[in-house]
Amino acid sequence: MRIEGIEIFYLGVPLARPMVTPLGTWQQLQTVLVALESGGLRGWGEASPGNAPLLGPEWAGGVYRCLCEWIGPAVVGQSLDTAEQLQQRLARLQGNRYAKAAVDCAWWDLAARLQGKPLHQLLGGQTDRIALGVSFDKMPDIQDLLEAMRRAFEAGYSSVELKFRPGWEVSMVHMVRQEFPTEQIHIDVEGDLRLSHMEMLCRLDDFMLAMIEQPLPPYDLVGHAMIQDAIRTPICLAESITCPEEADIAIELKSGRYINLEPGRVGGLTPAQQIHDACRTADIGCRLGARPQTSIGTALGLALGTKDNFSYPADFFPPEDFLADELTEPIPLERSSDGKLQAVLSTQPGIGRQPDPQKLHAWTLEHTRLVANTR
């Protein structure tokens, strides 16, 4: 396909409630949408690394500049018939994986639309329904957490992720397990522990957690391997895995038994599929990660999550709990025969959705359009 045009939107999507961060309070989620154009059709991608570089080196404003100044000009006007050809064009630029992911995901959505196939089918997905999990952070009181978890399980969520924070650690997990002795629960440490916390990590074996996500800093794959060798609970790597090469090293070191795959973090659907396939060969499970984003990014991630090695409920941010309004129609949800909540993927070509033009215009902070030379 020849990329005839690329349109880049830097958005401020209104939040359902203010987001309090170390850098201040935000009223909007900043995110970036990309539309690739070919054959009269458009494919959509999204990059939502956050309003500021708090969880990683990228942020929405920087992603927008990188797309406008470097990635967009590198792909517009090019004939890119395979995802590998796109990756070769992007390889000359270092880092900036969320920016690359927005274009890579848009390429896959466009390819699916041109072929008249749902994206999850083009990716080799094995289902059109995905079980969902929800996440809870530290709350003012443990009873608030227990009540929120009760509502989540009653709503049909298959798993609950608990953020593991200073002062919100083993005693919190103990009280949760007393209240929910059989439900599927895991914790996300976000790299805040060190090997000196090994005793604490060993104590967590008592709570039959589904996994402990990212206990150590991202760079410490050897340390993760030492922990995994010492405890029964599976380690899940998230921020440690930003490319297929890092996944290969983690697999070789036996640094964990799960990998959290989030398309933006690893540079798009193309490298995400490479990591998925390497994990399947090594008998390491995958789980679909997510960042706060619009339903464009959510739909792209869910399409990836239909592949056969995703063996754990997908991360999901209920839009009504986070965004004041949505850019497209909501992701359809339904109950399975056992009462579990599932996301239902579209049977239309691509991700089966596109932004509402009025909302897209209203929420756009900056906008750039690049068109291929017709000569």
Side-chain angles (χ1 to χ4, degrees):
M1 71 180 77
R2 183 172 186 266
I3 306 303
E4 298 161 0
I6 178 171
E7 203 159 7
I8 309 161
F9 301 87
Y10 179 27
L11 303 181
V13 182
L15 293 167
R17 60 186 62 85
M19 181 189 300
V20 180
T21 78
L23 299 180
T25 300
W26 294 324
Q27 305 293 333
Q28 298 176 325
L29 170 69
Q30 294 180 8
T31 187
V32 180
L33 290 188
V34 169
L36 290 185
E37 303 169 3
S38 184
L41 296 175
R42 282 182 152 203
W44 290 91
E46 180 172 3
S48 188
N51 294 21
L54 291 173
L55 297 178
E58 291 183 80
W59 74 103
V63 164
Y64 177 74
R65 297 307 332 162
C66 182
L67 285 163
C68 293
E69 296 180 17
W70 303 108
I71 294 179
V75 300
V76 71
Q78 299 298 314
S79 293
L80 301 171
D81 295 325
T82 68
E84 289 70 26
Q85 290 175 343
L86 172 61
Q87 290 297 310
Q88 289 171 7
R89 296 290 302 176
L90 300 179
R92 67 188 67 180
L93 301 172
Q94 298 298 307
N96 292 284
R97 290 188 172 90
Y98 275 91
K100 292 177 179 179
V103 170
D104 181 83
C105 290
W107 183 93
W108 278 98
D109 184 40
L110 178 58
R113 292 175 193 259
L114 288 169
Q115 296 181 38
K117 292 182 178 180
L119 177 58
H120 63 276
Q121 291 184 8
L122 187 63
L123 294 175
Q126 303 297 305
T127 181
D128 60 3
R129 283 162 171 75
I130 299 179
L132 302 175
V134 69
S135 175
F136 295 111
D137 210 328
K138 186 175 181 179
M139 296 186 180
D141 185 85
I142 188 67
Q143 294 303 321
D144 296 331
L145 173 64
L146 297 178
E147 180 57 32
M149 292 180 65
R150 185 173 294 106
R151 290 196 300 268
F153 286 127
E154 289 174 352
Y157 286 100
S158 296
S159 67
V160 162
E161 173 187 275
L162 303 173
K163 300 297 184 182
F164 203 67
R165 306 293 191 195
W168 195 252
E169 299 164 341
V170 175
S171 60
M172 176 271 293
V173 177
H174 176 69
M175 294 186 70
V176 164
R177 259 300 173 230
Q178 284 186 316
E179 189 74 16
F180 303 101
T182 61
E183 299 286 4
Q184 190 163 237
I185 296 167
H186 72 274
I187 62 171
D188 181 10
V189 185
E190 293 185 344
D192 284 345
L193 299 182
R194 300 296 183 269
L195 286 175
S196 59
H197 294 98
M198 185 68 83
E199 181 180 353
M200 175 190 290
L201 289 160
C202 290
R203 288 175 61 195
L204 289 170
D205 267 345
D206 296 337
F207 301 110
M208 301 299 291
L209 297 171
M211 63 185 71
I212 300 171
E213 183 167 310
Q214 200 64 47
L216 302 181
Y219 60 81
D220 197 357
L221 289 174
V222 172
H224 281 102
M226 294 170 66
I227 294 173
Q228 187 63 94
D229 187 55
I231 68 175
R232 297 187 306 273
T233 307
I235 298 297
C236 176
L237 300 173
E239 289 82 6
S240 288
I241 308 302
T242 64
C243 62
E245 292 77 11
E246 287 176 342
D248 290 341
I249 294 171
I251 291 169
E252 181 68 23
L253 292 172
K254 300 182 179 179
S255 299
R257 299 207 291 269
Y258 280 94
I259 285 181
N260 176 320
L261 258 182
E262 193 258 303
R265 190 195 323 116
V266 302
L269 292 171
T270 304
Q273 291 180 89
Q274 295 171 5
I275 296 170
H276 167 276
D277 293 348
C279 288
R280 180 179 55 197
T281 299
D283 198 25
I284 291 174
C286 294
R287 84 177 193 90
L288 181 66
R291 289 281 184 95
Q293 58 195 340
T294 76
S295 53
I296 296 288
T298 300
L300 290 161
L302 290 173
L304 174 68
T306 63
K307 292 179 74 68
D308 59 1
N309 197 46
F310 283 91
S311 55
Y312 195 79
D315 279 352
F316 187 73
F317 290 89
E320 67 275 8
D321 294 344
F322 193 75
L323 299 178
D325 198 359
E326 254 292 9
L327 193 60
T328 76
E329 65 276 12
I331 302 291
L333 304 177
E334 70 173 23
R335 295 277 193 133
S336 62
S337 58
D338 61 358
K340 297 299 185 183
L341 197 65
Q342 297 178 316
V344 182
L345 277 71
S346 173
T347 58
Q348 299 300 310
I351 58 173
R353 60 190 60 238
Q354 51 200 357
D356 180 286
Q358 292 183 334
K359 294 176 182 178
L360 186 63
H361 175 76
W363 299 341
T364 294
L365 305 174
E366 294 187 53
H367 165 253
T368 295
R369 177 175 169 78
L370 303 174
V371 181
N373 191 329
T374 56
R375 290 185 298 174

